[in-house]
Coordinates of all heavy atoms in Angstrom, one line a residue:
M1333 N -9.0 -3.5 15.1 CA -10.0 -2.5 15.0 C -10.6 -2.2 16.4 O -10.8 -3.1 17.2 CB -11.1 -3.0 14.1 CG -12.2 -2.0 13.9 SD -11.5 -0.9 12.7 CE -10.5 -1.9 11.5
I1334 N -10.6 -0.9 16.7 CA -11.1 -0.5 18.0 C -12.3 0.4 17.8 O -12.4 1.2 17.0 CB -10.0 0.3 18.7 CG1 -8.8 -0.6 19.1 CG2 -10.6 0.9 20.0 CD1 -7.7 0.3 19.7
K1335 N -13.3 0.0 18.6 CA -14.6 0.9 18.5 C -14.3 2.1 19.5 O -13.8 2.0 20.5 CB -15.7 0.1 19.1 CG -16.3 -1.0 18.2 CD -17.4 -0.3 17.4 CE -18.1 -1.4 16.6 NZ -19.2 -0.9 15.8
T1336 N -14.7 3.2 18.9 CA -14.6 4.5 19.7 C -15.9 4.6 20.5 O -16.8 3.8 20.3 CB -14.4 5.6 18.8 OG1 -15.6 5.8 17.9 CG2 -13.2 5.6 18.0
I1337 N -15.9 5.7 21.3 CA -17.1 5.9 22.2 C -18.4 6.1 21.3 O -19.5 5.7 21.6 CB -16.8 7.0 23.1 CG1 -15.8 6.5 24.1 CG2 -18.2 7.4 23.9 CD1 -15.3 7.6 25.0
T1338 N -18.1 6.8 20.2 CA -19.2 7.2 19.3 C -19.7 5.9 18.6 O -18.8 5.3 18.0 CB -18.8 8.2 18.2 OG1 -18.2 9.2 18.9 CG2 -19.9 8.7 17.5
K1339 N -21.0 5.7 18.6 CA -21.4 4.5 18.1 C -21.2 4.2 16.6 O -21.3 5.2 15.8 CB -23.1 4.4 18.2 CG -23.7 3.1 17.8 CD -25.1 3.1 18.1 CE -25.7 1.6 17.9 NZ -26.6 1.5 17.0
D1340 N -20.7 3.1 16.2 CA -20.4 2.7 14.9 C -19.4 3.5 14.1 O -19.3 3.5 13.0 CB -21.6 2.7 14.0 CG -22.7 1.6 14.4 OD1 -22.3 0.6 15.0 OD2 -23.9 1.9 14.4
K1341 N -18.4 4.0 14.9 CA -17.2 4.7 14.4 C -16.0 3.8 14.6 O -15.8 3.5 15.7 CB -17.0 6.1 15.0 CG -18.2 7.1 14.7 CD -18.1 7.6 13.4 CE -19.2 8.6 13.2 NZ -19.3 9.1 11.9
L1342 N -15.4 3.5 13.5 CA -14.2 2.6 13.7 C -13.0 3.4 13.7 O -12.9 4.4 13.1 CB -14.2 1.6 12.5 CG -15.4 0.7 12.4 CD1 -15.4 -0.1 11.1 CD2 -15.6 -0.2 13.6
L1343 N -12.0 2.9 14.5 CA -10.8 3.7 14.6 C -9.6 2.6 14.3 O -9.5 1.6 15.1 CB -10.6 4.2 16.0 CG -9.4 5.0 16.2 CD1 -9.4 6.3 15.3 CD2 -9.3 5.6 17.6
P1344 N -9.0 2.7 13.2 CA -8.0 1.7 12.9 C -6.8 1.7 13.8 O -6.5 2.7 14.4 CB -7.5 2.1 11.5 CG -8.4 3.0 10.9 CD -9.2 3.7 12.1
F1345 N -6.2 0.5 14.1 CA -5.1 0.3 15.0 C -4.0 1.3 14.6 O -3.3 1.9 15.4 CB -4.6 -1.1 14.9 CG -5.2 -1.9 15.9 CD1 -6.4 -1.6 16.7 CD2 -4.8 -3.3 16.1 CE1 -6.8 -2.5 17.5 CE2 -5.3 -4.2 17.0 CZ -6.4 -3.7 17.7
T1346 N -3.8 1.5 13.3 CA -2.7 2.3 12.8 C -2.8 3.8 13.4 O -1.9 4.4 13.8 CB -2.5 2.4 11.3 OG1 -3.7 2.6 10.7 CG2 -2.0 1.1 10.9
S1347 N -4.2 4.3 13.4 CA -4.3 5.6 13.8 C -4.2 5.7 15.4 O -3.6 6.7 15.9 CB -5.8 6.0 13.5 OG -6.1 6.1 12.2
V1348 N -4.5 4.7 16.0 CA -4.3 4.7 17.5 C -2.8 4.7 17.8 O -2.3 5.4 18.6 CB -5.0 3.4 18.2 CG1 -4.6 3.3 19.6 CG2 -6.4 3.5 18.0
C1349 N -2.1 3.8 17.2 CA -0.6 3.8 17.3 C 0.1 5.0 17.0 O 1.1 5.4 17.7 CB 0.0 2.6 16.5 SG -0.6 1.0 16.9
E1350 N -0.4 5.7 16.0 CA 0.3 7.0 15.7 C 0.0 8.0 16.7 O 1.0 8.8 17.1 CB -0.3 7.6 14.3 CG 0.1 6.9 13.1 CD -0.6 7.4 11.9 OE1 -1.4 8.3 11.9 OE2 -0.5 6.8 10.8
N1351 N -1.1 8.0 17.3 CA -1.5 8.9 18.5 C -0.8 8.6 19.8 O -0.4 9.4 20.6 CB -2.9 9.1 18.6 CG -3.5 9.8 17.4 OD1 -3.0 11.0 17.1 ND2 -4.4 9.2 16.8
V1352 N -0.7 7.3 20.1 CA -0.2 6.8 21.3 C 1.3 6.7 21.3 O 2.0 6.7 22.3 CB -0.9 5.5 21.7 CG1 -0.3 4.8 22.9 CG2 -2.4 5.7 21.9
G1353 N 1.9 6.3 20.0 CA 3.3 6.1 20.0 C 3.8 4.7 20.2 O 4.7 4.6 21.0
C1354 N 3.1 3.8 19.7 CA 3.4 2.4 19.9 C 3.4 1.6 18.7 O 2.9 2.1 17.6 CB 2.6 1.7 21.0 SG 0.9 1.3 20.5
D1355 N 3.9 0.5 18.6 CA 3.9 -0.4 17.5 C 2.5 -1.1 17.3 O 1.9 -1.5 18.3 CB 5.0 -1.5 17.7 CG 5.2 -2.3 16.5 OD1 5.4 -1.9 15.4 OD2 4.9 -3.6 16.7
V1356 N 2.1 -1.2 16.0 CA 0.8 -1.8 15.7 C 0.7 -3.2 16.2 O -0.3 -3.7 16.7 CB 0.4 -1.6 14.3 CG1 1.3 -2.4 13.4 CG2 -1.1 -2.0 14.1
F1357 N 1.8 -4.0 16.0 CA 1.8 -5.4 16.5 C 1.7 -5.5 18.0 O 1.0 -6.4 18.7 CB 3.0 -6.2 16.0 CG 3.0 -6.1 14.4 CD1 3.9 -5.4 13.7 CD2 2.1 -6.9 13.8 CE1 3.9 -5.4 12.4 CE2 2.1 -7.0 12.3 CZ 3.0 -6.1 11.7
E1358 N 2.4 -4.7 18.8 CA 2.4 -4.6 20.2 C 1.0 -4.2 20.6 O 0.5 -4.9 21.6 CB 3.4 -3.4 20.7 CG 3.4 -3.3 22.2 CD 4.3 -2.2 22.6 OE1 5.0 -1.6 21.8 OE2 4.2 -1.8 23.8
L1359 N 0.4 -3.3 20.0 CA -1.1 -2.9 20.4 C -2.0 -4.1 20.1 O -2.9 -4.4 20.9 CB -1.6 -1.7 19.7 CG -3.0 -1.2 20.0 CD1 -3.1 -0.9 21.4 CD2 -3.3 -0.1 19.1
G1360 N -1.9 -4.7 19.0 CA -2.7 -5.9 18.6 C -2.6 -7.0 19.6 O -3.5 -7.7 20.1
R1361 N -1.4 -7.3 20.1 CA -1.1 -8.4 21.0 C -1.7 -8.0 22.4 O -2.4 -8.9 23.0 CB 0.4 -8.7 21.2 CG 1.1 -9.4 20.1 CD 2.4 -9.9 20.4 NE 3.3 -8.8 20.8 CZ 4.1 -8.1 20.0 NH1 4.2 -8.5 18.7 NH2 4.8 -7.2 20.4
M1362 N -1.6 -6.8 22.7 CA -2.3 -6.3 24.0 C -3.8 -6.5 24.0 O -4.4 -7.0 24.9 CB -1.8 -4.9 24.3 CG -2.4 -4.4 25.7 SD -2.2 -2.7 26.0 CE -3.3 -1.9 24.7
V1363 N -4.4 -6.0 22.9 CA -5.8 -6.0 22.7 C -6.3 -7.5 22.8 O -7.3 -7.9 23.4 CB -6.2 -5.3 21.5 CG1 -7.7 -5.6 21.2 CG2 -6.0 -3.8 21.6
S1364 N -5.6 -8.4 22.1 CA -5.9 -9.8 22.0 C -5.8 -10.4 23.4 O -6.7 -11.2 23.7 CB -4.9 -10.5 21.1 OG -5.2 -11.9 21.0
R1365 N -4.8 -10.1 24.2 CA -4.6 -10.6 25.5 C -5.9 -10.2 26.4 O -6.3 -11.0 27.2 CB -3.3 -10.2 26.2 CG -2.2 -11.0 25.6 CD -0.8 -10.9 26.4 NE -0.7 -9.6 27.0 CZ 0.2 -8.6 26.7 NH1 1.1 -8.9 25.7 NH2 0.2 -7.5 27.4
V1366 N -6.2 -8.9 26.3 CA -7.3 -8.4 27.1 C -8.6 -9.0 26.7 O -9.4 -9.4 27.6 CB -7.4 -6.8 27.0 CG1 -8.6 -6.4 27.6 CG2 -6.2 -6.2 27.6
V1367 N -8.8 -9.2 25.5 CA -10.1 -9.8 25.0 C -10.1 -11.3 25.4 O -11.1 -11.7 26.0 CB -10.1 -9.7 23.5 CG1 -11.2 -10.7 22.9 CG2 -10.4 -8.3 22.9
D1368 N -9.0 -12.0 25.3 CA -9.0 -13.4 25.9 C -9.2 -13.5 27.4 O -9.9 -14.3 27.9 CB -7.7 -14.1 25.5 CG -7.6 -14.3 24.0 OD1 -8.6 -14.4 23.2 OD2 -6.5 -14.7 23.6
H1369 N -8.5 -12.6 28.1 CA -8.5 -12.7 29.6 C -10.0 -12.3 30.1 O -10.5 -13.0 31.0 CB -7.5 -11.6 30.1 CG -7.6 -11.6 31.7 ND1 -7.0 -12.6 32.4 CD2 -8.0 -10.6 32.5 CE1 -7.2 -12.3 33.8 NE2 -7.8 -11.0 33.7
L1370 N -10.5 -11.4 29.4 CA -12.0 -11.0 29.9 C -13.0 -11.7 29.2 O -14.2 -11.5 29.5 CB -12.1 -9.4 29.7 CG -11.3 -8.5 30.4 CD1 -11.5 -7.0 30.0 CD2 -11.4 -8.6 31.9
D1371 N -12.7 -12.6 28.3 CA -13.7 -13.5 27.5 C -14.6 -12.6 26.9 O -15.8 -12.8 27.0 CB -14.2 -14.6 28.4 CG -14.9 -15.7 27.7 OD1 -14.4 -15.9 26.5 OD2 -15.8 -16.2 28.2
L1372 N -14.2 -11.5 26.2 CA -15.0 -10.7 25.6 C -15.6 -11.2 24.2 O -14.8 -11.9 23.5 CB -14.5 -9.3 25.3 CG -14.0 -8.5 26.6 CD1 -13.2 -7.3 26.1 CD2 -15.1 -8.2 27.4
K1373 N -16.9 -10.9 23.8 CA -17.3 -11.2 22.5 C -17.4 -9.9 21.8 O -18.3 -9.2 21.9 CB -18.7 -12.0 22.6 CG -18.7 -13.2 23.4 CD -17.8 -14.2 22.8 CE -17.8 -15.5 23.6 NZ -16.5 -16.2 23.8
L1374 N -16.4 -9.7 20.9 CA -16.5 -8.5 20.2 C -17.5 -8.5 19.0 O -17.7 -9.5 18.3 CB -15.1 -8.2 19.5 CG -14.0 -7.9 20.6 CD1 -12.6 -7.7 19.9 CD2 -14.3 -6.8 21.6
P1375 N -18.1 -7.2 18.8 CA -19.1 -7.3 17.7 C -18.4 -7.3 16.3 O -17.3 -6.9 16.2 CB -19.8 -5.9 17.9 CG -18.8 -5.1 18.6 CD -18.0 -6.0 19.5
D1376 N -19.1 -7.7 15.3 CA -18.6 -7.7 14.0 C -18.5 -6.3 13.6 O -19.1 -5.4 14.1 CB -19.6 -8.4 12.9 CG -19.7 -9.9 13.3 OD1 -18.7 -10.5 13.8 OD2 -20.8 -10.5 13.0
F1377 N -17.6 -6.0 12.5 CA -17.5 -4.7 12.1 C -17.6 -4.6 10.6 O -17.5 -5.7 10.0 CB -16.1 -4.1 12.6 CG -15.0 -4.8 12.0 CD1 -14.3 -4.4 10.8 CD2 -14.4 -5.9 12.7 CE1 -13.2 -5.0 10.2 CE2 -13.2 -6.6 12.0 CZ -12.7 -6.2 10.8
D1378 N -17.8 -3.5 10.1 CA -18.1 -3.2 8.6 C -16.8 -3.1 7.9 O -16.2 -2.0 8.0 CB -18.9 -1.9 8.5 CG -19.3 -1.7 7.1 OD1 -19.1 -2.5 6.2 OD2 -19.8 -0.5 6.8
I1379 N -16.3 -4.1 7.3 CA -15.1 -4.0 6.7 C -15.0 -3.1 5.5 O -14.1 -2.4 5.1 CB -14.5 -5.4 6.2 CG1 -13.0 -5.3 5.9 CG2 -15.3 -5.9 5.1 CD1 -12.3 -6.6 5.8
V1380 N -16.2 -2.9 4.8 CA -16.2 -2.0 3.6 C -16.2 -0.5 4.2 O -15.5 0.3 3.6 CB -17.5 -2.2 2.8 CG1 -17.7 -1.2 1.8 CG2 -17.5 -3.6 2.2
G1381 N -16.9 -0.3 5.2 CA -16.8 1.0 5.9 C -15.4 1.3 6.3 O -14.8 2.5 6.1
L1382 N -14.6 0.4 6.9 CA -13.2 0.7 7.3 C -12.4 0.9 6.0 O -11.5 1.8 6.1 CB -12.6 -0.6 8.0 CG -11.3 -0.5 8.3 CD1 -10.9 0.6 9.2 CD2 -10.8 -1.8 8.8
F1383 N -12.6 0.1 5.0 CA -11.8 0.4 3.7 C -12.0 1.8 3.2 O -11.1 2.5 2.9 CB -12.2 -0.7 2.6 CG -11.6 -0.4 1.3 CD1 -10.3 -0.7 1.1 CD2 -12.3 0.2 0.2 CE1 -9.6 -0.4 -0.1 CE2 -11.7 0.6 -0.9 CZ -10.4 0.2 -1.2
K1384 N -13.4 2.2 3.2 CA -13.6 3.5 2.7 C -12.9 4.6 3.6 O -12.4 5.6 3.0 CB -15.1 3.8 2.7 CG -15.9 3.0 1.5 CD -17.3 3.4 1.6 CE -18.1 2.6 0.5 NZ -19.6 2.9 0.7
R1385 N -13.0 4.4 4.9 CA -12.3 5.4 5.7 C -10.8 5.6 5.5 O -10.3 6.6 5.4 CB -12.6 5.0 7.1 CG -11.9 6.1 8.1 CD -12.0 5.6 9.6 NE -11.0 6.3 10.4 CZ -11.4 6.9 11.4 NH1 -12.6 6.8 12.0 NH2 -10.5 7.6 12.1
V1386 N -10.2 4.4 5.4 CA -8.8 4.2 5.3 C -8.4 4.9 3.9 O -7.4 5.6 3.8 CB -8.2 2.9 5.4 CG1 -6.8 2.7 5.0 CG2 -8.3 2.4 6.9
F1387 N -9.2 4.6 3.0 CA -8.9 5.1 1.5 C -9.0 6.6 1.5 O -8.2 7.3 1.0 CB -9.9 4.4 0.5 CG -9.5 4.8 -0.9 CD1 -8.5 4.2 -1.5 CD2 -10.3 5.8 -1.5 CE1 -8.2 4.5 -2.9 CE2 -9.9 6.2 -2.8 CZ -8.9 5.6 -3.5
R1388 N -10.0 7.1 2.2 CA -10.2 8.5 2.2 C -9.0 9.2 2.9 O -8.4 10.3 2.5 CB -11.5 9.0 3.1 CG -12.8 8.9 2.2 CD -13.9 9.7 2.9 NE -14.1 9.2 4.3 CZ -14.9 8.2 4.7 NH1 -15.6 7.6 3.8 NH2 -15.0 8.0 6.0
E1389 N -8.5 8.7 4.0 CA -7.3 9.1 4.7 C -6.1 9.1 3.7 O -5.3 10.0 3.7 CB -7.0 8.4 5.9 CG -8.0 8.6 7.1 CD -7.7 7.7 8.3 OE1 -6.7 7.1 8.2 OE2 -8.5 7.7 9.3
W1390 N -5.9 8.0 3.0 CA -4.9 7.9 1.9 C -4.9 9.0 0.9 O -4.0 9.6 0.5 CB -4.8 6.5 1.4 CG -3.8 6.4 0.4 CD1 -2.4 6.1 0.7 CD2 -3.9 6.4 -1.0 NE1 -1.8 6.0 -0.5 CE2 -2.7 6.2 -1.5 CE3 -5.0 6.7 -2.0 CZ2 -2.4 6.1 -2.9 CZ3 -4.7 6.6 -3.3 CH2 -3.4 6.5 -3.8
V1391 N -6.2 9.2 0.4 CA -6.4 10.2 -0.7 C -6.1 11.6 -0.2 O -5.4 12.4 -0.9 CB -7.8 10.1 -1.3 CG1 -8.1 11.3 -2.2 CG2 -8.0 8.9 -2.0
S1392 N -6.4 11.8 1.0 CA -6.1 13.1 1.6 C -4.7 13.4 1.7 O -4.3 14.6 1.7 CB -6.8 13.3 3.0 OG -6.2 12.6 3.9
C1393 N -3.8 12.4 1.9 CA -2.5 12.6 1.9 C -1.7 12.5 0.5 O -0.6 12.9 0.3 CB -1.9 11.4 2.7 SG -2.3 11.4 4.5
N1394 N -2.5 12.1 -0.4 CA -2.0 12.0 -1.9 C -2.9 12.8 -2.8 O -3.7 12.2 -3.5 CB -2.0 10.5 -2.3 CG -1.0 9.7 -1.5 OD1 0.1 9.7 -1.6 ND2 -1.5 8.9 -0.6
E1395 N -2.8 14.1 -2.7 CA -3.7 15.0 -3.3 C -3.6 14.9 -4.9 O -4.5 15.4 -5.6 CB -3.4 16.4 -2.9 CG -3.7 16.6 -1.5 CD -3.2 17.9 -0.9 OE1 -2.6 18.7 -1.8 OE2 -3.4 18.2 0.2
G1396 N -2.6 14.2 -5.4 CA -2.5 14.1 -6.9 C -3.4 13.1 -7.6 O -3.6 13.0 -8.7
V1397 N -4.1 12.3 -6.7 CA -5.1 11.4 -7.2 C -6.4 12.1 -7.6 O -7.0 12.8 -6.7 CB -5.4 10.2 -6.1 CG1 -6.3 9.3 -6.7 CG2 -4.1 9.6 -5.8
G1398 N -6.8 12.0 -8.8 CA -8.1 12.7 -9.2 C -9.3 12.0 -8.7 O -9.3 10.8 -8.3
K1399 N -10.4 12.7 -8.8 CA -11.7 12.2 -8.2 C -12.1 11.0 -8.9 O -12.6 10.0 -8.4 CB -12.8 13.3 -8.2 CG -14.0 12.9 -7.6 CD -15.0 14.0 -7.2 CE -16.2 13.5 -6.6 NZ -16.2 12.9 -5.4
G1400 N -12.1 11.1 -10.2 CA -12.5 9.9 -11.1 C -11.7 8.7 -10.8 O -12.2 7.7 -10.7
V1401 N -10.3 8.8 -10.6 CA -9.5 7.7 -10.3 C -9.8 7.2 -9.0 O -9.9 5.9 -8.7 CB -8.0 8.1 -10.4 CG1 -7.1 7.0 -9.9 CG2 -7.7 8.5 -11.8
S1402 N -10.0 8.0 -8.0 CA -10.3 7.6 -6.6 C -11.6 6.9 -6.6 O -11.7 5.9 -5.8 CB -10.2 8.7 -5.6 OG -11.2 9.7 -5.8
V1403 N -12.6 7.3 -7.3 CA -13.8 6.6 -7.3 C -13.7 5.2 -7.9 O -14.3 4.3 -7.3 CB -15.0 7.5 -8.2 CG1 -16.2 6.6 -8.3 CG2 -15.3 8.7 -7.4
R1404 N -13.1 5.1 -8.9 CA -12.7 3.7 -9.6 C -12.0 2.9 -8.6 O -12.3 1.7 -8.5 CB -12.0 3.9 -10.9 CG -12.9 3.8 -12.0 CD -12.1 3.6 -13.3 NE -10.7 3.7 -13.4 CZ -10.0 4.7 -14.0 NH1 -10.7 5.7 -14.6 NH2 -8.7 4.8 -13.9
M1405 N -11.0 3.4 -7.9 CA -10.2 2.7 -6.9 C -11.1 2.2 -5.7 O -10.9 1.1 -5.3 CB -9.1 3.6 -6.4 CG -8.0 3.8 -7.4 SD -6.7 4.9 -6.9 CE -5.8 3.9 -5.8
V1406 N -11.9 3.0 -5.3 CA -12.9 2.6 -4.2 C -13.8 1.4 -4.6 O -13.9 0.5 -4.0 CB -13.7 3.8 -3.7 CG1 -14.9 3.2 -2.9 CG2 -12.8 4.8 -2.9
K1407 N -14.4 1.5 -5.9 CA -15.2 0.5 -6.4 C -14.4 -0.9 -6.5 O -14.8 -1.9 -6.1 CB -15.8 0.9 -7.8 CG -16.8 1.9 -7.5 CD -17.4 2.3 -9.0 CE -18.4 3.4 -8.8 NZ -19.1 3.9 -10.0
H1408 N -13.1 -0.8 -7.1 CA -12.3 -2.0 -7.2 C -12.0 -2.5 -5.8 O -12.0 -3.7 -5.6 CB -11.1 -1.8 -8.1 CG -11.4 -1.4 -9.4 ND1 -12.3 -2.3 -10.2 CD2 -10.9 -0.6 -10.3 CE1 -12.2 -1.9 -11.4 NE2 -11.4 -0.8 -11.5
G1409 N -11.7 -1.7 -4.9 CA -11.2 -2.0 -3.5 C -12.4 -2.8 -2.8 O -12.3 -3.8 -2.2
I1410 N -13.6 -2.2 -3.0 CA -14.8 -2.9 -2.2 C -15.0 -4.2 -3.0 O -15.4 -5.2 -2.3 CB -16.1 -1.9 -2.4 CG1 -15.8 -0.7 -1.5 CG2 -17.2 -2.7 -2.1 CD1 -16.8 0.4 -1.8
F1411 N -14.8 -4.3 -4.3 CA -15.1 -5.6 -4.9 C -14.0 -6.6 -4.3 O -14.4 -7.8 -4.1 CB -14.9 -5.4 -6.5 CG -14.9 -6.7 -7.2 CD1 -16.1 -7.5 -7.4 CD2 -13.7 -7.3 -7.6 CE1 -16.1 -8.7 -8.1 CE2 -13.7 -8.5 -8.3 CZ -14.8 -9.2 -8.5
L1412 N -12.8 -6.2 -4.2 CA -11.8 -7.1 -3.8 C -11.9 -7.5 -2.3 O -11.7 -8.7 -1.9 CB -10.4 -6.5 -3.9 CG -10.0 -6.4 -5.4 CD1 -8.6 -5.6 -5.4 CD2 -9.8 -7.8 -6.0
V1413 N -12.5 -6.6 -1.5 CA -12.7 -6.9 0.0 C -14.0 -7.8 0.1 O -13.9 -8.8 0.8 CB -13.0 -5.6 0.7 CG1 -13.4 -5.9 2.2 CG2 -11.8 -4.8 0.8

């Protein structure tokens, strides 16, 4: 997870990798090395907010999913997270 410049906006690694054109594991290793080298203490992030964002992106790509079904899926997903 990468924090963007805008406060409290999360940007998933997959989105960064799509725009930059690199492998998600490669980006993760690089970020991990930088965090370790600089001895950074990263803030906690809202995993439910991330789930909702990724789910919204998925629903926008899968237009056949009805609103009632997507609402139920979000509630079940949040429960599982």
Side-chain angles (χ1 to χ4, degrees):
M1333 189 69 40
I1334 295 177
K1335 283 271 191 176
T1336 60
I1337 294 173
T1338 309
K1339 187 176 188 239
D1340 296 327
K1341 297 286 183 181
L1342 301 174
L1343 188 60
F1345 273 7
T1346 53
S1347 297
V1348 173
C1349 291
E1350 288 173 6
N1351 291 306
V1352 174
C1354 73
D1355 181 62
V1356 68
F1357 297 108
E1358 180 183 349
L1359 180 63
R1361 283 192 304 267
M1362 182 190 67
V1363 169
S1364 180
R1365 286 194 327 250
V1366 169
V1367 168
D1368 288 343
H1369 178 72
L1370 297 177
D1371 196 28
L1372 298 175
K1373 302 297 181 222
L1374 297 179
D1376 293 332
F1377 62 92
D1378 178 17
I1379 194 162
V1380 172
L1382 174 64
F1383 173 77
K1384 287 179 180 178
R1385 177 189 168 134
V1386 171
F1387 187 80
R1388 278 195 310 268
E1389 289 177 7
W1390 178 81
V1391 168
S1392 69
C1393 295
N1394 297 285
E1395 296 172 358
V1397 178
K1399 182 160 177 72
V1401 172
S1402 66
V1403 168
R1404 261 195 348 249
M1405 289 173 75
V1406 166
K1407 288 180 181 178
H1408 288 315
I1410 290 172
F1411 172 75
L1412 292 173
V1413 169

